[in-house]
Amino acid sequence: MGTWIINGRVPVRGQNELATRHLFIEDGKIAAIGSDVPDTNGHEVIDAKGKLVSAGFIDMHVHLREPGFEYKETIATGTRSAARGGYTTIACMPNTRPVIDKVETVKYVLDKTETEGIVRVLPYGCISKNQLGRELTDFAALKEAGVVGFTDDGVGVQSAQMMKDAMALAASMNMPVIAHCEDNTLVEGGAVSEGEFARKHGLKGIPNESEAIHVGRDILLAEATGVHYHVCHVSAEQSVRLIRHGKQFGIKVTSEVCPHHLLLSDEDIPGVDDANWKMNPPLRTPKDVEAVIAGLEDGTIDIIVTDHAPHSEEEKARGLQMAPFGIVGFETAFPLLYTKFVRTGRWTLEFLLDRMTSKPAELFGLPWGVLEVGREADLTLVDLDTEKAVEPSEFLSKGRNTPFTGWKLYGWPSLTMVGGKTVWSE
């Protein structure tokens, strides 16, 4: 017995339109996509009722917090939150406790995903032991254990020599290096971006150069080593410029951006008490926002990620200066971008979907993210027509830390399927 998804609307490649199609799922794969009304006798039937049927979303930058910070999030709660947001594959950062710098911790994450997770979880391994930037981890052993790349996300690798050694080693194994770009000497004590808001409230600002200096340095090191170098959560106009320049010279540099850096600037922060507006990198100026949007549109920035970073309400109640950096992102990412960019006509739906499905798959050599016969049935059904407000109390994540509370949005996922199995539905 298989499953029919009938009356779905699927994107027509290159035509910026949706066509009504029926999909047959068998043995975890898409067995047929057609326009003729099927004979569904003897099969399970899901009536999509005109909803969008997309390949499942892929998020290459998330924080699941387990092991060590289970009060913030667990693999169980995080994967449910991801599924509710339409994600079928997510890549988790290694800044847990213990950090993911040993085979045992990789195994822990994969085993836990097997027993308690509901979407695919791809772990990253640390570049340096304990993320201290002093000694490289055992790249070969971590690759063998199942990591999909190396990163010290959460902290920047401060030593250029350490980063060059890491890139050379990763390149020899055909593995990517994913960089959190931050020069510590420029950020210490900073809570928000350097600019008008910081000055007005007497806060130490984090300058754009703190990110861009590492981006520029690492692009040169990537050129020297031939590694696939991927820049995390791009936020600054200077970073976009440097990445664009690197690509023009044929250097293997790719990059990502988060919804909050596409939609918000430091001018939107309501005051010093609300730490739901505190993330790293921080919200920049409107000029930076326009630069990252333009970078995504011209291909300088390749993909969209959430940097889903849950914290407890107690932690986030400490105000901008004292609270930890980070906001949750799984359950609002697609509705935010669909409402603010597709419904307004700036982007096509195909453009947005590509950067959340096929492009991340292509970038990291993953077999998912494409809606076609013979592929794994990782699918997301999305209601494009119903408006709903963002209500953090309804999140499946343990985290409630979002600056988007109350925003009225369209494009809410209503069903998520991984390998032909429905893992979440409204």
Side-chain angles (χ1 to χ4, degrees), residues 127-289:
I127 289 172
S128 66
K129 291 182 180 176
N130 290 316
Q131 291 192 308
L132 294 172
R134 293 181 193 146
E135 194 184 344
L136 291 180
T137 56
D138 186 339
F139 279 25
L142 290 172
K143 179 184 178 179
E144 180 71 21
V147 305
V148 291
F150 302 103
T151 181
D152 272 358
D153 183 65
V155 287
V157 175
Q158 300 305 301
S159 158
Q161 185 64 58
M162 167 72 61
M163 191 53 134
K164 188 175 184 182
D165 291 345
M167 287 182 173
L169 188 53
S172 74
M173 300 174 180
N174 199 26
M175 291 286 276
V177 165
I178 295 89
H180 174 111
C181 292
E182 188 172 44
D183 184 309
N184 288 352
T185 62
L186 290 168
V187 303
E188 213 163 312
V192 293
S193 188
E194 190 175 82
E196 195 49 47
F197 181 88
R199 279 191 294 276
K200 183 177 160 191
H201 295 281
L203 297 170
K204 182 182 186 302
I206 299 171
N208 284 20
E209 308 87 76
S210 64
E211 173 179 293
I213 282 170
H214 269 206
V215 172
R217 176 198 77 174
D218 290 352
I219 286 171
L220 293 173
L221 298 177
E223 182 179 32
T225 58
V227 76
H228 171 197
Y229 167 63
H230 182 77
V231 186
C232 288
H233 40 49
V234 174
S235 69
E237 182 271 332
Q238 295 92 324
S239 302
V240 178
R241 217 184 321 143
L242 288 162
I243 295 162
R244 188 176 288 126
H245 190 67
K247 286 192 168 191
Q248 284 165 356
F249 279 85
I251 299 164
K252 273 197 279 190
V253 53
T254 61
S255 59
E256 64 188 35
V257 67
C258 309
H260 43 276
H261 291 125
L262 293 164
L263 291 164
L264 302 172
S265 77
D266 60 351
E267 291 184 2
D268 298 310
I269 304 172
V272 294
D273 296 327
D274 191 348
N276 289 325
W277 297 76
K278 182 180 183 179
M279 63 284 289
N280 190 10
L283 298 175
R284 308 285 187 186
T285 67
K287 181 186 169 200
D288 293 300
V289 173

Side-chain angles (χ1 to χ4, degrees), residues 63 65 69 71-73 95 275-276 278-279 308-317 323-328 397-401:
H63 298 269
R65 304 301 191 201
F69 299 110
Y71 69 95
K72 297 178 194 265
E73 192 80 288
N95 57 338
N276 289 325
K278 182 180 183 179
M279 63 284 289
H308 175 81
H311 294 291
S312 71
E313 290 185 60
E314 296 74 36
E315 287 170 318
K316 276 296 190 178
F325 292 101
I327 64 170
V328 291
S397 170
K398 285 188 178 188
R400 302 283 182 263
N401 44 313

